[in-house]
Amino acid sequence: QVQLVESGGGLVQAGGSLRLSCAASERTFNNYAMGWFRQAPGKERELVAAFGWTTYYTGSVKGRFTISRDSAKRTVHLQMNSLKPEDTAVYYCVADSSRASIKVNPAYWGPGTQVTVSS
């Protein structure tokens, strides 16, 4: 069973930073592609960043967000800098056994963590 546990969301002013973390089991961390999606109010879920065949970022976060892996802690991080009100969303950690599917329709989702950016 794949379990993903997110942490690090919260309220921040525009221009600020947050770091999200996603803890996974050793099996998941070592054998699954992992990444982050988000869903803003009234909008569809969108891929933010992921480790697929390459490291992928959606255009609106390039240069501001960084996805990274901590092997010792079996954790994937999403460092979010220069946050904007339009980054407000529920952020989900995702995993999939396929490096292709992680960007499109990942099989496993965490419960989500709220990120709110005030103007």
Side-chain angles (χ1 to χ4, degrees):
Q1 186 73 11
V2 175
Q3 289 187 319
L4 306 168
V5 180
E6 303 108 335
S7 61
L11 173 63
V12 64
Q13 288 188 334
S17 299
L18 282 174
R19 188 176 80 156
L20 305 183
S21 300
C22 175
S25 69
E26 182 175 5
R27 176 177 175 271
T28 299
F29 187 84
N30 290 336
N31 295 287
Y32 284 69
M34 295 180 67
W36 293 91
F37 271 65
R38 67 184 178 186
Q39 186 169 22
K43 295 187 177 181
E44 294 188 355
R45 290 177 176 177
E46 67 167 346
L47 174 65
V48 177
F51 291 113
W53 292 112
T54 61
T55 303
Y56 175 83
Y57 296 94
T58 196
S60 62
V61 308
K62 284 182 179 179
R64 300 189 298 123
F65 290 12
T66 303
I67 189 172
S68 62
R69 293 164 56 93
D70 183 337
S71 298
K73 296 182 179 180
R74 302 192 304 272
T75 300
V76 174
H77 298 291
L78 184 68
Q79 179 66 43
M80 306 185 294
N81 299 328
S82 302
L83 282 161
K84 304 175 180 180
E86 51 263 44
D87 294 317
T88 295
V90 178
Y91 284 70
Y92 298 91
C93 181
V94 297
D96 198 288
S97 58
S98 164
R99 292 183 181 274
S101 295
I102 190 66
K103 292 167 55 178
V104 179
N105 187 26
Y108 302 98
W109 295 69
T113 185
Q114 177 70 46
V115 171
T116 302
V117 184
S118 63
S119 57

